[in-house]
Amino acid sequence: MASEIRVNKINSRTGVGTITLSPTGVDFTGIATVATLKATTGIVTTLTATTGIVTTLTADTSRTTTGIVTTLTADTAKVGAAVTISESGMEVTGVTTVTSSINIGSATTISSSSLEVNGVQYPTTGALSNRNLVQNGAMIVSQRSTSESSLTSGNNYILDRWRTYIQNIGTYTISQASDAPTGFKYSYKIQCTTADASPAAADDMSFYCAYEGQDLQQLKKGTSSAESLTLSFWIKSNKTATGQVNIRDQDNSRLISSTYTVSASGTWEYKTITFPGDTSGALDSDNAASISIQWYLDSGSNFSSGSMNSTWGTDSTDKRNVNNFGLASSTDNYWQITGIQLEVGEKATPFEHRSYGDELRRCQRYYYRHADRGSDEGRSVGNFGLYQSTRVFGAIHFPVTMRSTPSLDATDSSGSFKMFANGTNQTFAGWAGIQETGINSCVLESDATLSLTAAAAGWVRCEGSAYVAFNAEI
């Protein structure tokens, strides 16, 4: 027969610990050593193991919100059926929700909206490559020229794809400058050489580029799923001022604008601007201009008298330069830019550098310099035949498919070109035009000043500073 002792309380002889027994359980004070401790209510206020090892802690009810277990050291710990923590790591099954961010060491941060590794921002949407929607953002391609001076009017193309429009607001030199932030070789520089501190109302000046609608359908513009666009660039100027940059939807006459500030004179500064997606106005899917980026540099009051569109709205002239940079105010002023990137998403990723060959071919869709006596294109125009004794004809094949049927851009002055045929040669001034023109090839026809043998074949080259090019700019 088993023996039984019934007591209400056991006191330590030294007073270090007490065991109190009651109908609801056992209370321990002081130091208690047990092999297994099971709390049916899940409440353990303090658990201390002198060896620092607790092999098993079981509670029927979890009350972590009250902080009941402050420190737990165990070989293996399980949180429900989904999370196991052991010496080899943490295993999580099912869906894990992060309310702010996860830091993996010191190099990787994952948040609900982005991923950053070693300080590099990864895209928030879209592919990892071919993200940059602009061509020649690093200003490396310059088929036409590397510098032009005494510019006072019109669309001025110097470096490929980018143009500076000037309308009666000073005089400028535009160049491919060998001054750029780390990681870049060149920048686009505009130097004021004749100032206009008080421009007339209709005078203006801007730097911009336009893009085909068929290349922009991923923006989902005009739908409820319209994507944000992020513009990033490096800027430098002697003038500390705030300027305005516009995204213009030329298909639907819509506009959104933001500002950038040059904070330190003569210092390269990196800027990023995110524009929200536009749920109104779908873009045409064709080869015409749909979206353009436009930095306004100076203007009269016709371009600054309205209110800036900080959200998408109707485009109008008076909204485009509300925040006037004022480049024309002094001949000390210059404005430089490079590293331009426009991408889908809400975060700016590192600039997407392309090879020179890749960038050149992208630019040749819009402008192709075929032959140039004074540059790397070479002076040979090609093989030609004398259809008549006074005219030569020759086929030209473009290296890439051009955006649209191009126009001829060529020198037209006495002695610019020379035809070699039948053991002799003659010069002529230029071209009567282009025939059989398409987006892949054309036929060049000379002026009627030659006097050679009809049906003879030969070749034509550039003389002096002559050139032949084809223009399909947008």
Side-chain angles (χ1 to χ4, degrees):
M1 181 176 176
S3 299
E4 186 177 88
I5 299 176
R6 296 189 178 190
V7 296
N8 292 331
K9 188 174 184 180
I10 301 173
N11 289 321
S12 170
R13 188 174 149 192
T14 61
V16 173
T18 300
I19 302 174
T20 302
L21 298 93
S22 68
T24 60
V26 180
D27 293 331
F28 292 86
T29 60
I31 301 173
T33 302
V34 294
T36 301
L37 176 62
K38 184 175 182 179
T40 57
T41 62
I43 301 174
V44 180
T45 57
T46 304
L47 176 61
T48 304
T50 57
T51 63
I53 301 174
V54 179
T55 57
T56 304
L57 172 62
T58 305
D60 292 342
T61 303
S62 174
R63 294 183 60 188
T64 58
T65 56
T66 60
I68 294 166
V69 180
T70 58
T71 302
L72 172 63
T73 302
D75 291 339
T76 302
K78 293 185 70 66
V79 181
V83 180
T84 300
I85 304 173
S86 67
E87 292 181 353
S88 60
M90 180 172 70
E91 181 180 334
V92 181
T93 59
V95 178
T96 302
T97 301
V98 180
T99 57
S100 57
S101 63
I102 298 174
N103 294 325
I104 303 175
S106 60
T108 302
T109 300
I110 304 173
S111 73
S112 59
S113 61
S114 67
L115 169 64
E116 185 177 313
V117 179
N118 291 326
V120 176
Q121 176 66 53
Y122 275 63
T124 58
T125 187
L128 292 175
S129 62
N130 294 307
R131 296 189 53 75
N132 196 354
L133 299 176
V134 311
Q135 301 91 24
N136 203 26
M139 309 301 169
I140 60 176
V141 180
S142 54
Q143 293 185 84
R144 296 172 178 86
S145 175
T146 57
S147 182
E148 295 291 338
S149 59
S150 302
L151 302 173
T152 59
S153 63
N155 284 313
N156 297 277
Y157 289 93
I158 311 302
L159 308 189
D160 278 57
R161 296 294 291 122
W162 301 99
R163 74 180 85 173
T164 299
Y165 178 75
I166 305 169
Q167 180 169 286
N168 303 322
I169 191 166
T171 306
Y172 301 88
T173 294
I174 299 176
S175 63
Q176 182 187 50
S178 298
D179 168 29
T182 301
F184 297 89
K185 173 64 175 177
Y186 299 113
S187 65
Y188 188 110
K189 183 176 183 179
I190 306 172
Q191 174 72 57
C192 179
T193 57
T194 301
D196 185 355
S198 301
D203 297 346
D204 74 309
M205 178 182 186
S206 62
F207 169 79
Y208 73 107
C209 191
Y211 304 94
E212 300 175 53
Q214 61 191 1
D215 294 333
L216 302 171
Q217 296 305 302
Q218 67 271 41
L219 303 186
K220 305 171 191 173
K221 194 175 180 300
T223 75
S224 59
S225 303
E227 297 278 8
S228 297
L229 276 171
T230 295
L231 175 67
S232 55
F233 55 95
W234 287 89
I235 195 79
K236 178 181 177 180
S237 178
N238 67 297
K239 183 177 172 64
T240 55
T242 296
Q244 183 167 323
V245 59
N246 306 316
I247 302 292
R248 296 179 58 200
D249 170 2
Q250 296 176 225
D251 289 332
N252 303 285
S253 296
R254 291 177 63 76
L255 171 73
I256 189 170
S257 305
S258 188
T259 61
Y260 66 94
T261 299
V262 174
S263 302
S265 176
T267 303
W268 282 108
E269 298 176 24
Y270 182 64
K271 309 296 180 183
T272 65
I273 302 170
T274 297
F275 299 92
D278 186 12
T279 57
S280 297
L283 300 177
D284 298 337
S285 184
D286 57 23
N287 63 349
S290 287
I291 290 287
S292 61
I293 318 172
Q294 181 181 54
W295 286 259
Y296 252 88
L297 301 177
D298 212 333
S299 74
S301 59
N302 286 0
F303 300 86
S304 58
S305 58
S307 298
M308 189 183 81
N309 279 5
S310 56
T311 58
W312 281 101
T314 303
D315 186 9
S316 62
T317 300
D318 62 339
K319 301 176 181 179
R320 296 178 188 169
N321 193 32
V322 178
N323 298 275
N324 185 25
F325 190 82
L327 185 66
S329 63
S330 170
T331 55
D332 293 333
N333 293 344
Y334 65 86
W335 187 89
Q336 289 176 252
I337 193 167
T338 194
I340 302 172
Q341 180 151 298
L342 183 68
E343 59 190 304
V344 177
E346 297 178 351
K347 298 286 186 178
T349 61
F351 183 80
E352 184 178 19
H353 288 276
R354 303 184 184 116
S355 70
Y356 179 84
D358 187 356
E359 206 71 83
L360 174 62
R361 291 179 68 83
R362 292 171 187 256
C363 294
Q364 285 174 332
R365 176 171 173 78
Y366 303 92
Y367 184 85
Y368 166 49
R369 195 83 156 191
H370 174 71
D372 191 331
R373 176 68 174 84
S375 70
D376 292 338
E377 283 81 7
R379 64 192 302 186
S380 175
V381 181
N383 295 325
F384 283 75
L386 283 134
Y387 180 72
Q388 301 169 331
S389 62
T390 58
R391 295 180 185 273
V392 294
F393 291 78
I396 304 296
H397 297 273
F398 310 135
V400 300
T401 298
M402 302 201 74
R403 181 190 66 86
S404 62
T405 300
S407 60
L408 177 64
D409 175 23
T411 310
D412 187 9
S413 60
S414 178
S416 292
F417 301 95
K418 183 176 285 187
M419 173 69 180
F420 293 79
N422 274 356
T424 187
N425 62 80
Q426 284 186 12
T427 61
F428 60 99
W431 307 95
I434 50 179
Q435 310 293 336
E436 309 296 334
T437 310
I439 57 177
N440 292 305
S441 64
C442 71
V443 173
L444 270 179
E445 175 190 355
S446 74
D447 60 26
T449 60
L450 290 168
S451 178
L452 294 169
T453 304
W459 59 284
V460 172
R461 76 179 187 191
C462 299
E463 297 292 306
S465 58
Y467 68 91
V468 174
F470 301 91
N471 190 349
E473 286 288 359
I474 191 170

